Amino acid sequence: MSRYLVDKFIYRVDRNEEMLKAYMADPAGFVARWEKDEAGKLNESETTSGHNFTDEERKALAERDFEKLYAMGAHGFLLWTMMLPVLEPEFPNFRALVDFYNSKIKPYGRPDFST
Amino acid sequence: MARLSMIIGITHNPFIYRLIDRPRAGWTPDTEKMMQRSDMLRDRLRQAKPDVLLTVGNDHFHQFFMDNMPAFCLGKMEVFDGIYYNEVREFGLPLCKLPGDEKVSFEILEGSLKRGVDFAFSNEMKIDHSIIVPLLLVRPEMDLPIVPILTNTIAPPIPTAERFHQVGKILRAVIDEIPGDKRVAAVVSGHLSLDVGGPLQFDPKPMDEEFDERAVGWISRGDTNTAIRECTFERLTKSGNVTPGFLNFLLAAGMAGGLRCTYAEGLKRKGSTQPFFAWEA
């Protein structure tokens, strides 16, 4: 399990307009490309190799399965900030989106999200 | 020596900007109430006549991520840019440029190191809504040089409540020893009970009214001992996943020294209770 790498994915994508658009357009394709080219990047020139997605994590990201990601302990604040623009086009308004999102994560309570 | 003339503790709710970025006649009663408090603090800050603002807020995974997560980081620049891409996207916040006071930053950094607070420092710090929203509320002119401090209240493990308070006390001692006669005011942001990305986010009723009332009481009575005892990470996050943002106000209380808490209110409104605090001579 790499909760850290899941959080890193969310953090990088939410804070970068191009990545966010690419993820929204093709979640599975983008996750595969990100894992290959970006996951190990420490900075512009150096890489690390200590973190890898599990199959479950990769699948949840590729399927935008925020419920699973939340249950696995992805950082709740980060996850919401990324899922908001991802899900927005599918809901008539903010309230409807929030109600849907909250109802999905509620059964899991407050999972440990430390890294 | 420099003098700390006032401390403000205030919300950094990023949704406020959209509510107030329109003619005042169009504000909701709720917004009007909030802005009355904010305007009152803005007036008091103006009367305190500060030369420099020590601004304290918790970074929201903007400057920092868990690859390098400082507990407390001090910004040391002549000019600071504010507001990140996703804050423009979600909150419509304006991009800002603020003057810094690199000399005061350095003096606080060096003084703190000597007194046992090893601040991380940054010569390339971009600040997010935790500092920009408070300034939009109490110093919208953004004309005063700032010394920003970013805290970690979001990525566990985070410093203890006791440490937040102690860092505030040491900051105060350091400010009191800065040569010259600068007037310093501190603008510290945080929140009361709050869920953002947790199962009770944007609930119509306040997150945890009982916690909010007790927390405002600790601040108004200066009862930091009880606050420190009760504000463990586990207890705080029971009242919302980002409730540890309250710890910034314990830092503010630590900084107060001889200043009295002259205003303390948790303003109830839909979704979350908004904190407004002031410490003055």
Side-chain angles (χ1 to χ4, degrees), chain A residues 4 7-9 11-18 20 42 70 75-78 80-82 84-85 88 94-95 98 101-103 105-106 109-110 113-115, chain B residues 15 60-68 84-86 89-90 129 154-157 195-204 207 233 237-242:
Chain A
Y4 171 79
D7 284 345
K8 181 177 176 180
F9 176 92
Y11 162 75
R12 290 288 169 99
V13 171
D14 174 55
R15 279 138 179 80
N16 182 302
E17 191 170 12
E18 272 175 42
L20 180 65
L42 178 65
Y70 183 84
H75 196 291
F77 177 92
L78 276 174
W80 163 251
T81 55
M82 182 185 77
L84 178 59
E88 231 160 17
F94 185 73
R95 189 71 247 170
V98 167
Y101 190 90
N102 290 6
S103 72
I105 64 171
K106 211 166 197 164
R110 300 187 179 281
F113 61 94
S114 57
T115 56
Chain B
F15 292 101
H60 296 77
F61 292 119
H62 284 123
Q63 175 85 19
F64 300 114
F65 183 63
M66 277 93 85
D67 53 346
N68 295 294
Y84 285 75
Y85 150 71
N86 68 346
R89 186 187 75 207
E90 300 306 333
H129 69 271
I154 202 164
D195 226 6
V196 181
L200 293 174
Q201 62 172 341
F202 303 108
D203 208 58
M207 187 57 217
F233 184 78
T237 47
K238 263 186 197 155
S239 301
N241 66 334
V242 291

Side-chain angles (χ1 to χ4, degrees), chain B residues 79-149:
Chain B
V79 177
F80 290 94
D81 290 277
I83 297 303
Y84 285 75
Y85 150 71
N86 68 346
E87 299 176 294
V88 175
R89 186 187 75 207
E90 300 306 333
F91 313 123
L93 283 164
L95 299 176
C96 303
K97 229 180 239 302
L98 307 100
D101 189 327
E102 201 169 353
K103 189 160 178 285
V104 173
S105 282
F106 184 79
E107 283 165 335
I108 292 179
L109 179 61
E110 204 177 41
S112 300
L113 288 166
K114 281 181 188 155
R115 284 176 173 269
V117 177
D118 305 339
F119 278 111
F121 70 89
S122 169
N123 288 313
E124 194 171 359
M125 179 182 275
K126 187 169 184 177
I127 52 188
D128 75 8
H129 69 271
S130 71
I131 286 174
I132 295 298
V133 168
L135 292 178
L136 285 168
L137 295 175
V138 300
R139 193 72 185 191
E141 302 87 346
M142 296 198 183
D143 54 344
L144 292 171
I146 64 165
V147 171
I149 291 177

Side-chain angles (χ1 to χ4, degrees), chain A residues 4 8 12 37-48, chain B residues 67-68:
Chain A
Y4 171 79
K8 181 177 176 180
R12 290 288 169 99
D37 302 333
E38 301 284 334
K41 269 193 190 168
L42 178 65
N43 55 40
E44 281 158 33
S45 54
E46 297 294 332
T47 58
T48 65
Chain B
D67 53 346
N68 295 294

Side-chain angles (χ1 to χ4, degrees), chain B residues 34-68:
Chain B
M34 229 176 5
M35 292 310 289
Q36 278 168 6
R37 273 69 174 176
S38 165
D39 289 349
M40 175 270 296
L41 294 177
R42 181 180 170 184
D43 284 345
R44 291 191 193 187
L45 182 63
R46 194 186 299 123
Q47 285 160 22
K49 295 191 171 56
D51 301 306
V52 57
L53 294 178
L54 179 67
T55 56
V56 182
N58 47 294
D59 181 59
H60 296 77
F61 292 119
H62 284 123
Q63 175 85 19
F64 300 114
F65 183 63
M66 277 93 85
D67 53 346
N68 295 294

